[in-house]
């Protein structure tokens, strides 16, 4: 069947039959883009079908079958169908075989998978029923080569270290097993290229071509006849040609292009067949049918190529090679051998589509598909080296031709029976060497004696497995895991149930991975890749190891962690120091102090950080707000001790929390606007205005209530049922936090009273504050700590330690600093992200509350030493000292920072105007 270039009505086809019939036809196909879209699904379907657990045919096989139906119907409808039917009938009558020879000239059609043509009438794939040969248009045919045995096969295995591993050695072993008897009889010789590079292949072909030909052979017949390649193949889309993946001379992969391979093999007339057990070695470009590896070899004169047009699994490749060579050794035509290989692939792996992967290309069909004209006799010196049987009178051994011997006498028959029995006994007791020797001796005197040929094959198989098993166990004992895995993989591929090979293979693979990880860990450690050391070591630590290996691993992990910590520390120090220098250059003195505080928190003696910090504080002192005086605007006498005070956002009202269950709202002149009774007991511990000033919230013993700031009407309430020492309002106005006597800080929904979050300290919770962005919550506790939490999840973010109870916390307006008030007589300022201490100021007694001015320049504190004080928040310099007659419980800045309210145990609330020395 010859398909010509596309014409107006379709593609012209000429059908020619062996009987001389010839008929024209026209092949009409769907649009090429539709065909290519369908063909593009075939590789995935083939790969999917190689899985051991198959899905329904409608999922995987449907696109393949549909494409095959389209190709069959288009090519063989009408005239072609009638000729094919006639040819099949003649072949059936004559006991012959129909061969399909396909010559497709248009490149866009030549690359389609014609092997999958599907005959709906016969409900089967044509490629499984008939030999199918691709016969490209080449300049000259090649006649069959007369070969005096042995038929010489040159094998090459390429396993580049950066490619996916292959069961290449298993395929080598299978190939040896399939050809073992033919090798023993002198019919086949199997050799291997010594290396994996293109230079090794070139040298192997050239060297053998120079070997003198045995007597009687024609020039060039001393070379190899078949090249069998085992490895990876592919298609270089940029170069638009097929490739074989050989090993690079410096490691890695060297992709040998189709043209380069053809050039290497050209000029060796004895080389008649290339078998490419490599994926996609039959794939060509849409514009050049000779761009595939197989096509390039054909164009350079290779008579036949068996290639793979798609990815193929190791198991399918092994079955293909085994069956193909067995059929070829029986002197079947090469296309029939390929058909039998396809059938074997289909039968051995039910429902697989991989049988359509092999593609056979032939330059010539002369000799009825025989590439080699094999003589009947083995050449001189090629007869098997069989040992004699000195104790048995078996008569003369084999003559120069096989099958030309006298029938054995009765005594010889008895001796053969005895020798066969000895071999049988050795075979079933795993004495492989004795079994091989016995059956070889039997065959040497009578090739057809019972099933001695099959028994010899089985004995040799056992002998090889036993040798491999011994080598594998020796490798395991020597902890040579790579060699152990290689030997055991070969055993398991040949016989999965052989002794405990499967278990040993699993162990060897585990140990191989462990050894590789250990070596990689050492390599990474020596190179100083510390993070990678920890990643690999973590994986390695999950695998069983001996005591010494574990100790070495622990030492490397400790060293890597220490190195990482040192590097991180050095990087942090350098980063903060660099930031400090940039701030100093720009005159950002407060920022410089904060950066240098980070540096000194890690290393107090780092470079000149102490001197630079002193300079920055000095500059802050010169350029600060310059508050130097507090002018009393209001002194209000409350009905009881004042525990809390808050200024409304506009600064015109004060909320006052007192003992005696009383909370007041007064204006800046002291006029009482609202008086209300709070809770069931006698203390209002905390008050807070909402951001709009319309509401305020109070906290006491057991209840938290929200009120209308104008009318005093209760709006909402929550009931913690334990004393609440501080209430903090979230910036969104919808939530509040309570610091409670039971060591818990709770977050509530104001409108519903539902508890949203609970955070636990190990001591009484005295204070709480939300960050300006509402994402963090700061808490103060009797467990001597202040802590920062995620306000949404409750996850702890930071822990800050004091030596005594922490009573109050406050954020700066930018959220970068946190101030704490403690029973250790100090108020401190910390970096709110790292916890580094930035500032410490000291009172004469417990500090109860702390507050930042809105601009962050000043810090106000309330203390049991009867004073409230205002400090420079950058330098710690005391700017103001305000006195009450008893302990000061709370302080609060106005929103403009120009007023300060103080609340005392002396039952007074005082409002102060903060001014500089030059203010009017």
């Amino acid at each position: 069947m010859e398909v010509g270039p596309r014409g107006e009505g379709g593609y012209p086809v000429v059908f020619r039959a062996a009987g001389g019939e010839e008929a024209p036809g026209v092949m009409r196909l769907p649009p090429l883009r539709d065909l290519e879209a369908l063909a593009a699904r075939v590789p995935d379907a083939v790969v999917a079908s190689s899985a051991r657990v198959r899905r329904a045919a409608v999922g995987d096989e449907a696109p393949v079958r549909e494409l095959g139906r389209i190709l069959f119907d288009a090519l063989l409808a009408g005239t072609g169908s009638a000729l094919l039917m006639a040819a099949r009938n003649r072949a059936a009558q004559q006991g012959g075989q129909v061969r399909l020879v396909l010559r497709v000239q248009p490149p866009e059609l030549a690359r389609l998978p014609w092997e999958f043509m599907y005959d709906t009438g016969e409900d089967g794939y044509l490629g499984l029923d008939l030999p199918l040969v691709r016969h490209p248009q080449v300049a000259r045919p090649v006649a069959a080569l007369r070969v005096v045995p042995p038929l010489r096969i040159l094998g090459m295995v390429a396993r580049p270290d950066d490619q996916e591993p292959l069961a290449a050695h298993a395929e080598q072993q299978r190939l040896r097993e399939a050809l073992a008897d033919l090798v023993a009889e002198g019919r086949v010789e199997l050799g291997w290229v010594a290396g994996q590079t293109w230079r090794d292949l070139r040298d192997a072909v050239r060297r053998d071509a120079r070997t003198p030909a045995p007597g009687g052979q024609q020039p060039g017949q001393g070379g190899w006849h078949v090249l069998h390649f085992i490895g990876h193949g592919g298609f270089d889309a940029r170069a638009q040609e097929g490739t074989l993946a050989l090993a690079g001379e410096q490691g890695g992969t060297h992709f040998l292009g189709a043209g380069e391979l053809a050039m290497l093999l050209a000029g060796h007339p004895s080389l008649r067949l290339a078998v490419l057990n490599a994926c996609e070695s039959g794939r060509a470009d849409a514009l050049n049918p000779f761009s595939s590896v197989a096509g390039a070899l054909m164009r350079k004169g290779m008579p036949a190529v068996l290639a793979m047009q798609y990815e193929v699994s190791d198991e399918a490749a092994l079955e293909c090679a085994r069956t193909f060579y067995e059929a070829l050794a029986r002197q079947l035509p090469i296309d029939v051998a390929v058909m039998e290989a396809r059938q074997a692939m289909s039968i051995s792996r039910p429902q697989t589509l991989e049988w359509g992967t092999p593609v056979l290309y032939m330059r010539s069909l002369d000799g009825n598909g025989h590439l080699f004209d094999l003589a009947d006799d083995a050449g001189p010196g090629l007869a098997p080296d069989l040992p004699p049987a000195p104790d048995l009178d078996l008569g003369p051994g084999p003559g120069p031709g096989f099958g030309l011997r006298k029938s054995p006498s009765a005594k010889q028959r008895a001796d053969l029976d005895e020798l066969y029995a000895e071999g049988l006994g050795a075979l079933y007791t795993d004495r492989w060497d004795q079994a091989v020797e016995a059956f070889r001796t039997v065959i040497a005197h009578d090739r057809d004696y019972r099933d001695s040929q099959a028994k010899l094959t089985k004995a040799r198989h056992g002998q090889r497995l036993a040798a491999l098993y011994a080598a594998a166990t020796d490798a395991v004992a020597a902890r040579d895991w790579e060699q152990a895995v290689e030997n055991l993989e070969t055993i398991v591929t040949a016989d999965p149930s052989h002794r405990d090979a499967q278990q040993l293979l699993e162990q060897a693979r585990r140990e191989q991975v462990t050894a590789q990880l250990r070596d990689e860990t050492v390599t990474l450690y020596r190179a100083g890749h510390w993070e990678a050391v920890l990643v690999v070591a973590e994986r390695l630590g999950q695998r069983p190891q001996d005591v010494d290996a574990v100790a070495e691993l622990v030492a490397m992990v400790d060293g890597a962690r220490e190195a990482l910590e040192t590097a991180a520390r050095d990087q942090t120090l350098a980063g903060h120091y660099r930031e400090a220098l940039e701030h100093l250059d720009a005159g950002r003195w407060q920022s410089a102090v904060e950066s240098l505080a980070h540096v000194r928190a890690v290393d107090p003696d780092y470079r000149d950080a102490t001197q630079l910090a002193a300079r920055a504080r000095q500059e802050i002192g010169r350029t600060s707000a310059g508050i130097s005086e507090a002018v009393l605007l209001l002194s209000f006498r409350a009905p009881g001790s004042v525990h809390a005070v808050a200024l409304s956002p506009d600064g015109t009202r004060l909320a006052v929390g007192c003992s005696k269950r009383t909370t007041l709202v007064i204006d800046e002149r002291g006029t009482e606007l609202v008086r209300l009774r709070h809770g069931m007991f006698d203390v209002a511990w905390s008050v807070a205005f909402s951001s709009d000033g319309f509401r305020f919230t109070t906290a006491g013993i057991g209840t938290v209530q929200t009120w209308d700031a104008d009318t005093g009407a209760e709006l909402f309430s929550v009931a913690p049922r334990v004393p609440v020492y501080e209430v903090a309002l979230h910036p969104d106005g919808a939530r509040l936090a309570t610091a409670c006597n039971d060591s818990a800080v709770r977050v509530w929904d104001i409108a519903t009273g539902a508890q949203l979050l609970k955070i636990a300290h190990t001591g009484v919770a005295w204070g709480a504050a939300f960050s300006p962005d509402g994402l963090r919550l700061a808490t103060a506790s009797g467990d001597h700590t202040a802590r920062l939490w995620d306000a949404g999840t409750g996850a702890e973010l930071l822990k800050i330690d004091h030596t005594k109870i922490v009573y109050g916390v406050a954020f700066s307006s930018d959220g970068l600093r946190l101030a704490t008030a403690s029973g250790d007589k100090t108020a401190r300022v910390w970096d709110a992200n790292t916890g580094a201490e930035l500032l410490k100021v000291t009172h004469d007694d417990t500090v109860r509350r702390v507050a930042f001015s809105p601009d962050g320049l000043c810090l106000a504190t309330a203390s049991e030493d009867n004073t409230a004080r205002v400090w420079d928040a950058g330098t710690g310099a005391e700017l103001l000292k305000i006195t009450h007659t008893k302990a000061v419980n709370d302080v609060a800045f106005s929103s403009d920072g120009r007023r300060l309210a103080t609340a005392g145990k002396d039952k007074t609330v005082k409002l102060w105007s903060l001014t500089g020395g030059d203010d009017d």
Side-chain angles (χ1 to χ4, degrees):
M1 301 171 289
E2 183 169 353
V3 181
R6 181 182 180 90
E8 292 184 3
Y11 294 91
V13 181
V14 178
F15 300 95
R16 298 184 181 90
E21 298 96 334
E22 181 173 318
V26 176
M27 183 171 67
R28 295 178 176 85
L29 289 166
L32 186 60
R33 62 178 179 275
D34 295 342
L35 274 181
E36 290 178 341
L38 200 56
R41 298 173 61 187
V42 173
D44 290 338
V46 172
V47 172
S49 74
S50 67
R52 296 192 179 275
V53 180
R54 294 272 292 127
R55 298 187 291 273
V58 295
D60 289 337
E61 191 176 349
V64 179
R65 183 175 295 184
E66 176 62 15
L67 179 62
R69 181 195 63 77
I70 292 172
L71 296 178
F72 180 88
D73 291 347
L75 181 61
L76 290 168
T79 303
S81 179
L83 286 176
L84 177 59
M85 184 178 297
R88 278 179 161 171
N89 290 336
R90 282 198 305 274
Q93 293 169 4
Q94 299 171 10
Q97 175 72 62
V98 175
R99 170 187 291 124
L100 296 180
V101 180
L102 186 61
R103 175 178 292 170
V104 182
Q105 295 180 25
E108 70 272 16
L109 300 186
R111 66 200 300 261
L112 295 175
W114 294 93
E115 288 70 22
F116 284 117
M117 281 192 292
Y118 188 81
D119 185 352
T120 53
E122 296 290 335
D123 191 24
Y125 291 99
L126 224 57
L128 289 176
D129 293 336
L130 301 175
L132 192 153
V133 180
R134 297 209 187 195
H135 187 35
Q137 185 76 40
V138 292
R140 60 190 185 281
V142 179
L145 177 70
R146 180 169 177 78
V147 175
V148 175
L151 181 69
R152 307 188 68 217
I153 302 174
L154 175 64
M156 181 177 187
V157 174
R159 297 192 305 171
D161 52 22
D162 58 349
Q163 294 286 326
E164 187 73 20
L166 291 171
H169 284 283
E171 187 170 340
Q172 279 184 289
Q173 187 65 21
R174 285 282 184 90
L175 197 54
R176 292 190 185 102
E177 291 177 10
L179 302 178
D181 290 337
L182 298 168
V183 171
E185 293 170 2
R187 295 280 178 153
V188 167
E189 177 183 339
L190 178 61
W192 297 94
V193 177
Q196 302 183 52
T197 69
W198 68 267
R199 203 180 302 275
D200 295 322
L201 174 60
R202 182 200 63 183
D203 293 346
V205 175
R206 285 181 175 177
R207 182 173 56 253
D208 205 79
R210 293 194 297 267
T211 302
Q217 288 185 254
Q218 298 299 317
Q221 290 186 7
W224 298 104
H225 306 129
V226 180
L227 171 66
H228 185 107
F229 177 80
I230 303 170
H232 284 289
F235 188 83
D236 186 342
R238 183 174 57 183
Q240 289 297 299
E241 68 170 355
T243 61
L244 295 182
L246 304 187
E249 295 183 314
Q250 303 300 323
T253 299
H254 175 82
F255 290 102
L256 187 69
E260 296 169 332
L261 176 64
M263 181 171 58
L264 280 180
L265 302 180
H268 301 285
S270 65
L271 194 59
R272 295 302 179 96
L273 170 63
V275 178
L276 306 177
N277 270 2
C279 303
E280 297 187 301
S281 51
R283 178 182 171 188
D285 171 38
L287 301 178
N288 181 5
F290 293 104
S291 60
S292 69
V293 179
L297 291 177
M298 294 292 291
R299 183 168 56 182
K300 290 291 185 179
M302 183 70 68
V305 180
L306 179 60
M308 305 293 165
Q309 59 182 328
Y310 301 121
E311 290 186 30
V312 61
S313 64
D314 291 338
E315 294 86 349
L318 291 172
E319 188 62 52
C320 178
R322 180 176 187 172
T323 306
F324 173 72
Y325 281 117
E326 287 175 348
L328 202 62
R330 301 200 315 268
Q331 299 199 44
L332 292 178
I334 186 172
D335 54 339
V336 176
V338 172
M339 182 189 69
E340 289 197 358
R342 289 192 181 115
Q343 292 172 343
M345 293 167 75
S346 177
I347 294 171
S348 64
R349 297 173 63 77
Q351 299 187 32
T352 185
L353 295 171
E354 290 185 288
W355 59 263
T357 295
V359 181
L360 175 62
Y361 298 86
M362 292 186 69
R363 290 175 65 92
S364 172
L365 299 176
D366 294 347
N368 196 30
H370 290 91
L371 291 174
F372 308 103
D373 181 9
L374 293 172
D376 289 335
D377 296 337
L382 295 175
D385 181 18
L386 299 177
D391 297 332
L392 299 174
D393 182 14
L394 298 179
F402 292 101
L404 303 176
R405 54 180 58 81
K406 299 177 182 179
S407 300
S409 65
K411 181 179 183 306
Q412 291 171 340
R413 174 64 63 182
D415 290 340
L416 285 174
D417 289 344
E418 182 179 349
L419 185 57
Y420 178 85
E422 288 180 4
L424 205 60
L427 181 68
Y428 285 110
T429 54
D430 296 346
R431 291 178 288 118
W432 307 112
D433 294 341
Q434 295 93 319
V436 168
E437 183 176 352
F439 289 123
R440 287 181 68 191
T441 305
V442 170
I443 293 169
H445 293 83
D446 186 352
R447 294 180 67 252
D448 300 322
Y449 183 83
R450 297 176 67 174
D451 61 346
S452 55
Q453 294 274 5
K455 288 295 190 288
L456 176 59
T457 299
K458 186 174 182 180
R460 281 178 174 149
H461 181 69
Q463 186 182 46
R464 282 187 286 272
L465 290 183
L468 284 169
Y469 186 84
T473 53
D474 289 345
V476 169
R479 303 184 71 79
D480 184 352
W481 303 115
E482 182 176 0
Q483 188 62 48
V485 167
E486 184 175 318
N487 291 332
L488 290 166
E489 281 181 343
T490 303
I491 294 172
V492 170
T493 301
D495 182 4
S497 62
H498 185 78
R499 301 180 66 173
D500 59 345
Q502 185 69 56
Q503 292 80 3
L504 279 178
L505 176 59
E506 293 172 1
Q507 175 194 346
R509 282 173 173 163
R510 288 194 299 269
E511 294 291 349
Q512 184 182 34
V513 172
T514 299
Q516 181 181 355
L517 289 174
R518 189 180 301 117
D519 291 343
E520 291 173 351
T521 305
V522 172
T523 299
L524 292 168
Y525 186 85
R526 290 174 177 170
H529 297 296
W530 309 119
E531 292 182 355
V533 167
L534 296 181
V535 172
V536 178
E538 182 178 359
R539 294 177 57 189
L540 190 56
Q542 298 170 359
R543 310 180 72 88
Q545 301 178 78
D546 56 49
V547 175
D548 293 339
V550 170
E552 181 184 15
L553 177 64
V554 169
M556 287 191 290
V557 168
D558 290 344
R561 285 177 176 160
E562 183 178 350
L564 281 174
E565 290 171 359
T566 300
R569 172 182 176 276
D570 292 344
Q571 185 177 8
T572 299
L573 284 171
H576 287 310
Y577 184 82
R578 184 171 56 252
E579 289 174 356
L581 293 180
E582 292 173 357
H583 292 319
L584 288 171
D585 288 342
R588 297 188 293 268
W589 312 115
Q590 181 59 46
S591 297
V593 168
E594 294 172 7
S595 294
L596 290 167
H598 290 305
V599 173
R600 298 175 66 200
V602 177
D603 183 358
D605 300 322
Y606 187 78
R607 300 177 68 171
D608 56 349
T610 300
Q611 293 86 343
L612 291 177
R615 174 192 163 195
R617 288 195 182 95
Q618 183 179 6
E619 292 295 336
I620 289 174
R622 289 194 310 104
T623 60
S624 65
I627 295 174
S628 59
E629 184 178 2
V631 177
L632 182 64
L633 300 177
L634 171 69
S635 179
F636 178 81
R637 183 76 177 178
S641 295
V642 183
H643 294 279
V645 64
L647 279 161
S648 65
D650 61 6
T652 62
R653 291 170 295 171
L654 294 87
V656 181
C658 311
S659 57
K660 309 290 185 183
R661 297 171 57 193
T662 302
T663 300
L664 304 173
V665 176
I666 61 176
D667 64 17
E668 56 189 338
R669 293 184 298 276
T671 303
E672 184 177 307
L673 304 177
V674 175
R675 175 185 287 257
L676 51 87
R677 303 290 265 177
H678 177 84
M680 300 173 60
F681 300 99
D682 62 349
V683 178
W685 290 103
S686 179
V687 292
F689 271 103
S690 63
S691 59
D692 57 12
F694 296 151
R695 297 175 295 173
F696 69 97
T697 301
T698 60
I701 299 178
T703 60
V704 175
Q705 294 165 282
T706 299
W707 316 84
D708 185 295
D710 292 327
T711 66
E714 182 177 335
L715 302 176
F716 309 106
S717 67
V718 296
R721 302 187 184 282
V722 291
V724 178
Y725 295 130
E726 186 162 27
V727 61
L729 300 182
H730 192 276
D732 65 9
R735 289 172 283 173
L736 60 82
T738 57
C740 303
N741 178 263
D742 63 355
S743 305
V745 176
R746 298 172 173 86
V747 178
W748 308 83
D749 184 293
I750 293 178
T752 66
Q755 180 176 303
L756 304 178
L757 186 67
K758 180 180 178 181
I759 296 169
H761 275 272
T762 57
V764 172
W766 286 100
F770 283 104
S771 62
D773 59 10
L775 298 179
R776 292 171 294 171
L777 176 65
T779 58
S781 172
D783 60 12
H784 302 180
T785 69
R787 307 191 191 209
L788 267 69
W789 315 82
D790 185 297
T793 67
E796 183 175 320
L797 305 176
L798 193 64
K799 177 183 175 184
I800 293 170
D801 292 312
H802 276 262
T803 58
K804 290 189 177 182
I805 294 172
V806 182
Y807 286 102
V809 287
F811 277 100
S812 61
S813 58
D814 57 9
L816 298 179
R817 290 173 292 167
L818 180 74
T820 55
S822 173
D824 61 8
K825 304 181 183 180
T826 68
R828 309 189 191 208
V829 178
W830 314 82
D831 185 292
N833 293 315
T834 66
E837 183 178 316
L838 305 177
L839 183 71
K840 180 174 76 172
V841 296
T842 304
H843 274 265
D844 298 326
D845 206 336
T846 295
V847 181
R848 302 289 302 192
R849 286 288 185 266
V850 63
F852 275 106
S853 62
D855 59 10
L857 295 177
C858 298
L859 186 71
T861 54
S863 171
E864 291 185 3
D865 65 3
N866 301 349
T867 67
R869 308 191 192 198
V870 178
W871 315 82
D872 187 302
T875 65
E878 182 178 311
L879 303 178
L880 290 175
K881 181 177 180 181
I882 296 170
T883 304
H884 280 248
T885 58
K886 290 187 178 181
V888 181
N889 291 324
D890 201 3
V891 289
F893 278 103
S894 63
S895 59
D896 60 6
R898 300 181 65 83
R899 295 182 177 188
L900 179 72
T902 58
K905 198 173 180 180
D906 58 5
K907 302 183 181 181
T908 65
V909 175
K910 297 183 179 183
L911 183 63
W912 308 85
S913 174
L914 306 180
T915 63
D918 297 331
D919 291 348
D920 294 334

